[in-house]
Amino acid sequence: MNDSYECTVLVPHKDTLFLLSKAQKSIILEYNKTHQKEKYLLPSYPLWGKLDEQVFKVQNKIRITDASLTGPFVEKTKAFFYFKVSTKDKRYTFKILFAESKNNIDCELLKIKELPLSPKSFRLGQAVFTNSTWELHNDIWITA
């Protein structure tokens, strides 16, 4: 079975990815110490932000006025960081899924010291996700 989809993604700079990975590991380890196996958090990869809206098109002349990274946030069985990007006309929120559970996640997960961040550079591109693989196409570097 080939579950494939394409979407616009935001790929943080490697330094930001390092901090996200460190926060991801810290949150998951701390959470799993205090919960039963049925409620364990499992890490999710890649740590790329996906945009719910399909209206955002990757262009070479995107002018970003502001970028911020906050979180974590919980939506039922998934935990996210939010990467918010502002242009002159609109604000976009990319969700970076970093952990999942088979059961609802307790909101005590929301305690972290590393965020918020104000990243200055990142990539935007089109990604194709197929089963457990991902590919990035037509990516461009953006500086806020």
Side-chain angles (χ1 to χ4, degrees):
M1 183 174 184
N2 191 4
D3 295 329
S4 179
Y5 68 95
E6 185 174 336
C7 66
T8 301
V9 295
L10 181 147
V11 181
H13 185 273
K14 66 179 180 174
D15 294 338
T16 306
L17 280 172
F18 173 74
L19 292 173
L20 286 177
S21 176
K22 188 176 166 184
Q24 174 192 40
K25 181 179 179 181
S26 171
I27 291 168
I28 291 173
L29 285 173
E30 196 61 37
Y31 187 90
N32 287 347
K33 278 184 197 176
T34 60
H35 289 81
Q36 302 166 357
K37 285 186 180 180
E38 302 83 44
K39 290 194 170 198
Y40 272 4
L41 286 181
L42 301 174
S44 294
Y45 298 100
L47 293 175
W48 294 356
K50 296 178 190 172
L51 187 62
D52 285 343
E53 305 173 49
Q54 292 300 319
V55 297
F56 194 79
K57 299 290 181 201
V58 177
Q59 305 167 5
N60 282 329
K61 297 188 180 193
I62 297 170
R63 300 195 54 97
I64 302 298
T65 58
D66 187 42
S68 64
L69 185 57
T70 58
F73 300 97
V74 173
E75 293 178 12
K76 295 183 182 178
T77 62
K78 298 179 183 215
F80 299 93
F81 297 117
Y82 289 169
F83 200 125
K84 296 179 181 181
V85 176
S86 297
T87 65
K88 181 179 158 188
D89 304 319
K90 193 165 180 185
R91 188 162 178 86
Y92 299 93
T93 299
F94 290 83
K95 293 180 180 180
I96 300 175
L97 175 66
F98 73 89
E100 294 184 79
S101 177
K102 290 183 181 178
N103 297 297
N104 284 347
I105 299 171
D106 296 333
C107 288
E108 66 190 52
L109 170 73
L110 299 175
K111 298 174 185 133
I112 186 170
K113 295 177 184 166
E114 286 90 351
L115 300 176
L117 298 172
S118 296
K120 298 298 179 205
S121 63
F122 51 89
R123 289 186 290 166
L124 291 175
Q126 292 300 116
V128 177
F129 293 87
T130 307
N131 298 326
S132 61
T133 64
W134 54 87
E135 300 173 35
L136 182 64
H137 301 280
N138 303 323
D139 61 309
I140 58 171
W141 279 99
I142 302 292
T143 304

